[in-house]
Amino acid sequence: MPELPEVETFKRYLDSTSLHQRIVGVQVRDAYVLKRISARELARRLKGRRLESSHRHGKHLFVRAGDQLWLRLHFGMTASLEYLNRDEVAPKTARVIFCFADNCRLAFDDQRKFGEIELIENVDEFLQTRGLGPDALGISLSQFKAILGKHRGALKAILLNQELIAGIGNLYADEILFRARMHPVTEVARLSDNDLQGLFRATRYVLQRAIALKTDFNCLPKSWLLTHRGRAGRCPRCGDGLKSETIGGRTSWFCAYCQKRSS
Ligand SMILES: [Zn+2]
């Protein structure tokens, strides 16, 4: 499921392929991913415009297409972007295709159709209405401490709560906790100032490193939990078998030896 690093990678991909070209049409192959707009209306409002710039917040990507006109993309479970040259065939699961004046296209590919495409007028207003917290890579240490200091509950659930901090999902939350050597059910109120600082550093490191590697799982360091998580997985640090537990409705993987549960 695309989390902050994947969406940042899509943003950079879109910026490097699709900005500043005139949109001549929008093909909607499956309107299921459109939110609060019809296929006809989407095409009508974008035709003749250019994608001018983009902005990411958490797992949302906003692409400016004019004054008070932003295309909002959310990648759900399986969505991604694919830029197609003139003669390239769009993937079968491309749901919406933006066609440019030079005959190249940008496809919103989404096998499971949990993705979302919408036109909005104002990004800040959208973030407020959704109640989204600040972006995980946009906050300072003092903001991070203030947010976590105000809440109680299992650390993993706090990291996943998009209303507190936006962008961290299940996989990277596990990775951050593994790096910080904290058990996912650790009560956040028990963390010391030092712990919070370590957690903040781990958060930035994991997200930034994943972005730098373009979130290519084959390139992620072997010292990361992500490349080992699963039933037969062993901890890359101590060699113990990894454990899993359902926390906040999501399956967490961790090493019970390296990430001790505090009593
Ligand atoms: Zn271990």
Side-chain angles (χ1 to χ4, degrees):
M1 179 170 171
E3 303 181 24
L4 186 155
E6 282 79 17
V7 180
E8 179 63 28
T9 304
F10 297 147
K11 172 189 169 9
R12 294 178 184 191
Y13 180 76
L14 182 142
D15 288 353
S16 68
T17 57
S18 306
L19 289 187
H20 315 304
Q21 305 181 56
R22 196 160 54 84
I23 298 170
V24 294
V26 181
Q27 280 177 28
V28 176
R29 293 185 171 180
D30 192 328
Y32 186 80
V33 297
L34 301 186
K35 300 301 160 199
R36 291 165 285 278
I37 192 163
S38 67
R40 215 168 133 187
E41 186 67 4
L42 180 73
R44 188 186 70 74
R45 293 190 63 193
L46 288 179
K47 207 170 162 182
R49 295 186 176 273
R50 290 175 165 83
L51 303 178
E52 295 167 2
S53 60
S54 69
H55 172 74
R56 184 194 54 72
H57 187 103
K59 303 177 196 172
H60 294 267
L61 181 58
F62 303 95
V63 191
R64 194 181 134 95
D67 281 346
Q68 298 196 316
L69 185 65
W70 293 83
L71 180 65
R72 180 180 70 84
L73 304 175
H74 189 273
F75 297 87
M77 297 283 286
T78 54
S80 63
L81 296 175
E82 190 167 341
Y83 184 74
L84 305 160
N85 284 314
R86 275 148 238 236
D87 44 5
E88 275 180 288
V89 179
K92 275 205 181 84
T93 48
R95 308 301 176 188
V96 175
I97 301 172
F98 303 93
C99 307
F100 302 116
D102 64 356
N103 287 326
C104 293
R105 289 152 293 150
L106 181 70
F108 183 82
D109 187 17
D110 190 4
Q111 195 195 350
R112 294 187 61 189
K113 298 198 283 188
F114 286 104
E116 296 179 359
I117 294 181
E118 183 183 11
L119 286 182
I120 60 168
E121 287 181 2
N122 186 316
V123 172
D124 288 335
E125 200 178 283
F126 172 84
L127 298 176
Q128 251 176 27
T129 311
R130 281 287 176 104
L132 287 175
D135 184 73
L137 279 181
I139 46 172
S140 64
L141 173 60
S142 56
Q143 282 174 295
F144 185 80
K145 283 182 184 170
I147 292 167
L148 270 66
K150 261 190 269 174
H151 290 86
R152 292 184 161 270
L155 200 41
K156 171 82 183 268
I158 300 268
L159 289 179
L160 289 180
N161 186 341
Q162 302 298 301
E163 292 178 12
L164 301 182
I165 299 172
I168 303 169
N170 196 40
L171 294 187
Y172 291 106
D174 282 356
E175 194 64 50
I176 289 164
L177 292 170
F178 178 69
R179 183 162 182 90
R181 300 201 184 202
M182 292 173 188
H183 194 284
V185 301
T186 304
E187 164 58 51
V188 69
R190 295 178 62 99
L191 296 183
S192 68
D193 212 52
N194 251 353
D195 292 337
L196 288 170
Q197 194 168 332
L199 185 64
F200 177 72
R201 284 211 188 116
T203 301
R204 291 189 70 80
Y205 171 82
V206 165
L207 298 177
Q208 285 173 336
R209 188 94 180 101
I211 292 169
L213 296 169
K214 296 184 175 158
T215 67
D216 181 346
F217 268 45
N218 297 318
C219 297
L220 294 182
K222 292 282 174 280
S223 59
W224 281 28
L225 183 74
L226 263 175
T227 53
H228 302 272
R229 56 184 283 144
R231 261 172 229 289
R234 299 205 154 266
C235 171
R237 196 181 279 141
C238 72
D240 266 15
L242 295 174
K243 298 265 186 302
S244 71
E245 208 171 296
T246 306
I247 300 160
R250 309 295 302 276
T251 303
S252 291
W253 285 93
F254 56 92
C255 170
Y257 178 76
C258 295
Q259 298 164 264
K260 291 244 168 20
R261 191 187 288 249
S262 52
S263 50

